[in-house]
Amino acid sequence: YVAYAQQGSKATLSIGSDTGMAGGTIVLPLSLENADGLAVQSIRVELSLPKDDVSLTMARSSLAVETAGGKVAVQKLPVEKKSKVEKVVLSITAPKPLQPGKVASLELRLAEKLGNVKEIPLTLSGGSLTTADQQSVPTLTQDGTITVSETAPTLVNCFFFTH
């Protein structure tokens, strides 16, 4: 905790945001920011997803985590009765210090039928880091959002064919 106070910046775990269609799959980054000078060896964060709208299909470690000899583990927590939220614990551990930046890619699948859902919140909570000297460092978390699109993005195609 002392190293944390001396550093002066708050380490942050964030999940990206993107646009997707019902039934589609998107990949979002899980990133560690403002952790310069910390010898981070493990990361733990809880991701909450509206279970009727989206599910986590895969979590892959980033190249930086693989370089540090690390791996990503996913633990789905039991869904409480009548709860509309699925909670997943993401753990990243490595024998060598992890570098700030992207630590994992999260593959998410949107439900086939989303009804009137326009935005799907992706909420991170309970973020923590453990350093090489076994110090626990509290972290801030930054949530993400999936914006639901009715149509496939055609902006790029149109751009190339307009004269």
Side-chain angles (χ1 to χ4, degrees):
Y1 199 83
V2 175
Y4 179 72
Q6 287 173 340
Q7 190 192 350
S9 64
K10 296 219 186 277
T12 305
L13 287 166
S14 65
I15 187 169
S17 295
D18 202 352
T19 301
M21 291 178 60
T25 300
I26 61 169
V27 178
L28 294 177
L30 179 69
S31 300
L32 171 64
E33 294 145 17
N34 295 328
D36 297 326
L38 291 176
V40 176
Q41 286 199 283
S42 72
I43 297 169
R44 182 190 182 282
V45 69
E46 195 173 284
L47 171 63
S48 298
L49 306 163
K51 67 178 175 116
D52 295 338
D53 300 335
V54 67
S55 60
L56 178 68
T57 54
M58 190 185 314
R60 282 191 294 268
S61 55
S62 69
L63 186 59
V65 169
E66 288 174 12
T67 302
K71 60 182 188 278
V72 176
V74 176
Q75 177 194 359
K76 292 190 177 188
L77 301 178
V79 177
E80 296 167 26
K81 281 187 181 170
K82 297 184 180 174
S83 173
K84 294 192 178 300
V85 176
E86 177 184 40
K87 293 185 177 187
V88 180
V89 175
L90 299 162
S91 304
I92 301 166
T93 53
K96 296 180 191 159
L98 297 165
Q99 297 302 312
K102 186 168 88 169
V103 291
S105 295
L106 306 179
E107 188 177 284
L108 300 154
R109 181 147 180 87
L110 280 65
E112 294 291 336
K113 293 187 172 34
L114 288 169
N116 293 327
V117 175
K118 298 288 182 235
E119 280 196 343
I120 301 171
L122 305 171
T123 309
L124 293 177
S125 60
S128 65
L129 308 175
T130 305
T131 59
D133 57 0
Q134 299 306 306
Q135 297 292 311
S136 183
V137 179
T139 60
L140 299 173
T141 54
Q142 187 175 335
D143 301 337
T145 315
I146 298 173
T147 304
V148 179
S149 173
E150 298 288 320
T151 56
T154 53
L155 202 61
V156 175
N157 295 340
C158 294
F159 176 78
F160 287 114
F161 295 110
T162 51
H163 296 276

